[in-house]
Amino acid sequence: MTSSFVSRPYAPALVSFGFSFVAFLAFGGVKPIFDATLYSGVASGLLGLADPVIPPVDREWAIEAGAVRGFVYPLFVAAVYAFRGSADYLTAELLQGLLFPPLTAILIYVAGREAFSRRTGLIGAWLFAFWFPVAWHSRFLLTETMLAFLVALLLACVAGLVARRNPRLALVTGLAAGVLSIAHPAYQLVWLVLGIAVLAQFGRRLASLYALGAIVFIAYRLFLFSADLPYPGQGLIGRGQIGYGSGGGWTFYSSSRWETGFRVTVDDRRLLAMWNRPFGDVVEKVDSGEIAVEDDLRAAILRKAGEPGARLTDADFYRAGLANLLERPDKWPERMKVNTASLFLLPADLALAPGDPESPALRPVWRPLSAMFALLSAAGLVLVALRRRDRLILFVPALFQATLFLTTTISETRYSVPLWPAMFLLAGVALGRLADTYERRRKRSATTLRTAGHVR
């Protein structure tokens, strides 16, 4: 590639587009399983279409499931299905790869240019464009590819707000934070955490305009309440044999089990699969030992055995998980180590999601490369904290989410995908600083040589 092409802001987006297209052509799409099945079901259920990967669902179920897991991504999938006239998940996977990663690369460039320098933005965008796992993961009907775009959009908005302190940008930033917060239940506090940071850094005037944009989150919650729909955190799992998702309580409980090395067991998943079954079935299998359950949760299940209409709730899992953590605080460092490795270090076979087929492409490189990438991002964060402290606000959402993933759930590698825009921008800060230092030293050396020649 020529230097003129490399310096073009749109160039990383073109390369990202090409990688996604080639990845899909070479490896194809992936049949939805687990969460992907739910997203496809919501999209097809809203449109009244037959879905090839989920039992028949009606519109009521689709609306309830969307309320629990967020409507933003399923609406994108539904738009593709409506265009195709069928639940064509392969087209949705292809289009999301051709659309969201290139747009994310552009937004990383914009954020870097606004908050730091054009060079920083270009470096971050190019790193993201050449990061093949972005294209690899876009082949899955999972929300993380869109979430990465929404995080990058928020990153660019905050960068513009820091650089310009424009009231309109404060409003747009609040709107972007609100949309991100309703896109997935794991991100539902982003608008609030960032709002506190905006108030602390910019004062009440800009914070009030930010809040006006972020009110989209509150309006969404009011809609769920007024329509008597389930909402994130309520712990509902679905009707009949079709679930809405695992719920935050189960993931917190599974991440607290020091006796299993803080990893999900087969019995944990079997219990999860029975969450929407009659409670008597759960009691019978737990009491007989057919499903092995940790003692605190087992006690909660047996205690509810005789209650009419009893069922497991998020609260039961949270209480059992908290009891586990308080029982062995000496195991907390091990828990953090396991979650950190799962979140930030890619597996050698590039398995980013459950049921992910192994990648035949450059298998041995991903784990060491991801370690280097994480270290570069950490170095960039340190540089920002030391030299551009007012720019730290850009990374508040990503830092908050990373902390949440590391402390409250079983971390999966795909959870890091929405964190990549902020991490690549930080890597751009570190590499940009390195390039600036090299150029200054080279200029000083050239000046010294010219001066020495003049003296002679």
Side-chain angles (χ1 to χ4, degrees):
M1 290 185 289
T2 63
S3 59
S4 60
F5 177 77
V6 171
S7 64
R8 302 290 185 185
Y10 60 79
L14 291 177
V15 171
S16 179
F17 180 95
F19 264 124
S20 295
F21 189 61
V22 169
F24 194 89
L25 284 182
F27 305 108
V30 179
K31 184 177 180 179
I33 60 172
F34 298 114
D35 289 355
T37 303
L38 182 139
Y39 295 129
S40 184
V42 173
S44 58
L46 291 174
L47 298 172
L49 299 173
D51 196 293
V53 295
I54 193 170
V57 297
D58 55 32
R59 187 162 296 166
E60 181 184 358
W61 179 92
I63 292 173
E64 290 176 356
V68 171
R69 300 304 297 265
F71 284 107
V72 178
Y73 181 67
L75 285 177
F76 162 76
V77 179
V80 178
Y81 286 3
F83 174 76
R84 294 289 294 168
S86 64
D88 185 355
Y89 61 84
L90 291 174
T91 299
E93 291 167 350
L94 173 62
L95 288 179
Q96 77 175 7
L98 299 181
L99 179 66
F100 294 123
L103 290 176
T104 302
I106 291 173
L107 290 169
I108 292 172
Y109 164 75
V110 171
R113 182 197 65 193
E114 290 293 312
F116 301 101
S117 67
R118 189 173 186 275
R119 167 181 276 176
T120 296
L122 278 172
I123 292 174
W126 274 115
L127 290 173
F128 178 84
F130 276 113
W131 191 242
F132 181 70
V134 172
W136 181 260
H137 186 269
S138 72
R139 299 159 43 255
F140 296 83
L141 202 72
L142 292 168
T143 187
E144 283 81 14
T145 298
M146 175 183 272
L147 283 177
F149 162 73
L150 293 175
V151 169
L153 176 62
L154 182 58
L155 196 66
C157 289
V158 178
L161 185 60
V162 168
R164 305 170 189 234
R165 297 178 180 261
N166 186 299
R168 291 180 181 177
L169 274 175
L171 183 65
V172 172
T173 301
L175 183 61
V179 171
L180 175 61
S181 297
I182 67 175
H184 193 283
Y187 288 77
Q188 61 186 294
L189 294 179
V190 163
W191 69 278
L192 179 60
V193 173
L194 182 59
I196 294 170
V198 168
L199 177 62
Q201 184 156 332
F202 299 109
R204 284 180 292 181
R205 180 169 174 263
L206 291 184
S208 61
L209 289 166
Y210 168 90
L212 189 61
I215 204 169
V216 66
F217 174 82
I218 299 173
Y220 174 72
R221 277 300 182 91
L222 289 175
F223 159 70
L224 296 184
F225 277 118
S226 63
D228 195 28
L229 289 169
Y231 57 94
Q234 201 171 12
L236 296 182
I237 202 67
R239 291 187 286 109
Q241 300 303 308
I242 307 171
Y244 298 149
S246 61
W250 179 83
T251 54
F252 175 74
Y253 159 78
S254 299
S255 75
S256 73
R257 299 193 61 190
W258 52 267
E259 69 273 24
T260 64
F262 304 103
R263 290 175 174 84
V264 179
T265 67
V266 173
D267 283 326
D268 289 336
R269 295 198 181 279
R270 290 180 64 199
L271 181 65
L272 173 65
M274 294 193 67
W275 199 352
N276 58 333
R277 295 280 296 277
F279 190 66
D281 293 352
V282 177
V283 173
E284 179 183 347
K285 290 187 180 297
V286 169
D287 191 32
S288 66
E290 186 175 340
I291 295 180
V293 178
E294 179 271 337
D295 290 342
D296 294 289
L297 187 60
R298 176 187 172 87
I301 292 171
L302 297 180
R303 187 167 57 248
K304 287 185 170 186
E307 297 178 10
R311 69 178 184 87
L312 277 173
T313 65
D314 265 349
D316 295 320
F317 284 102
Y318 278 122
R319 280 193 290 268
L322 185 60
N324 282 337
L325 293 178
L326 293 178
E327 184 178 348
R328 292 295 302 270
D330 59 304
K331 294 286 187 177
W332 293 358
E334 181 186 347
R335 179 175 184 259
M336 186 64 69
K337 179 182 176 182
V338 168
N339 271 353
T340 300
S342 298
L343 187 63
F344 293 115
L345 299 183
L346 296 180
D349 58 7
L350 206 56
L352 299 186
D356 192 342
E358 292 186 354
S359 165
L362 305 176
R363 282 189 57 186
V365 307
W366 300 117
R367 200 163 184 86
L369 280 180
S370 60
M372 291 172 57
F373 165 41
L375 291 174
L376 268 177
S377 302
L381 184 62
V382 172
L383 284 171
V384 173
L386 293 176
R387 297 178 177 274
R388 304 297 297 274
R389 196 168 300 169
D390 62 321
R391 267 54 177 170
L392 277 175
I393 191 173
L394 272 72
F395 307 105
V396 165
L399 288 171
F400 173 73
Q401 286 304 133
T403 303
L404 206 63
F405 292 144
L406 293 175
T407 58
T408 65
T409 187
I410 287 281
S411 291
E412 292 185 14
T413 307
R414 66 186 173 104
Y415 297 167
S416 68
V417 175
L419 305 180
W420 286 348
M423 293 177 68
F424 277 112
L425 182 56
L426 285 170
V429 170
L431 291 176
R433 176 71 179 175
L434 190 64
D436 290 341
T437 301
Y438 171 76
E439 286 186 357
R440 282 197 300 269
R441 289 184 176 178
R442 189 179 63 177
K443 288 178 181 178
R444 279 201 301 267
S445 298
T447 301
T448 302
L449 288 173
R450 285 197 299 270
T451 303
H454 179 72
V455 170
R456 284 194 298 271

